[in-house]
Structure formats: structure tokens, C-alpha cells
Amino acid sequence: MHRLITAGLGSLMIAGSLLVAAPAQAVTQHCDTSLFPNKVEVSGDSATVPTHLDLGTYVCLKVGTKVTYDYVDYDGTVSNRDVYNQKGNLQGISYYAWGYKPS
């Protein structure tokens, strides 16, 4: 019986140390769908993507685990200018979303 209890305690200690050693997962942000209900998925390969939206449209960009915001440029594109990867490169855009145009 003593050996069984000791083995059980050892297993709990190992499991506990694994929980402590595991890195915390980053919280993934998403664009607020109440403000940005129109969403377009893109490849995530580029930090600049074409949108075909009007100049100056305010857009939410999903980049990695974060969101950032941009205005549509004169050429219809939006760009991630804020979110970098660990190597210091701008990360690609996963999706962009925008709200309704005011009438």
C-alpha cells in the first residue's frame, strides 16, 4: 500500500511540474464583428493585401494572434504596419474586416 501511495504522489509531482513548465498560450485577438461585420479571409502570406474597398475605409486586420487597424490606401490596399514576428519581419494578414459605410 505504501508503494502505491508513493507511486501516486510521484505521478502527481511529475504532472504538476509539467503544468508549471508548459508555456502559456497567447490570447488570440479577433476583429469585433459588431463594428466590422464584413470579413474576407486572405492567405496570410503578405503584409499588404488588395481589398477593392473605397479609399479611406477603416479596416480591422487580423495578423498572427493580434489585430491592428488601417485605412484603405489610394490603390485599394491595406497593410500591416504594426505586428512583427520574432525575426523582426512584418507578419502577413490572415483576414481583414470592415464596417458598413455611413449613408
Side-chain angles (χ1 to χ4, degrees), residues 39-46 61-64 92-96:
K39 177 178 165 182
V40 175
E41 299 279 343
V42 293
S43 67
D45 294 334
S46 179
L61 307 174
K62 171 73 168 54
V63 181
I93 299 168
S94 301
Y95 70 76
Y96 64 90

Side-chain angles (χ1 to χ4, degrees), residues 10-57:
S11 295
L12 285 174
M13 290 174 58
I14 291 170
S17 68
L18 290 175
L19 288 175
V20 172
Q25 295 296 320
V27 174
T28 299
Q29 299 175 344
H30 290 279
C31 297
D32 182 343
T33 56
S34 68
L35 300 174
F36 301 96
N38 305 297
K39 177 178 165 182
V40 175
E41 299 279 343
V42 293
S43 67
D45 294 334
S46 179
T48 298
V49 295
T51 66
H52 307 292
L53 297 171
D54 292 336
L55 172 68
T57 303

Side-chain angles (χ1 to χ4, degrees), residues 1-13:
M1 181 72 156
H2 177 66
R3 208 186 299 178
L4 183 59
I5 291 172
T6 304
L9 287 174
S11 295
L12 285 174
M13 290 174 58

Side-chain angles (χ1 to χ4, degrees), residues 75-95:
D75 61 356
T77 62
V78 290
S79 299
N80 165 31
R81 305 173 204 285
D82 303 316
V83 183
Y84 293 84
N85 63 18
Q86 293 176 347
K87 294 181 180 179
N89 300 319
L90 287 169
Q91 285 190 254
I93 299 168
S94 301
Y95 70 76

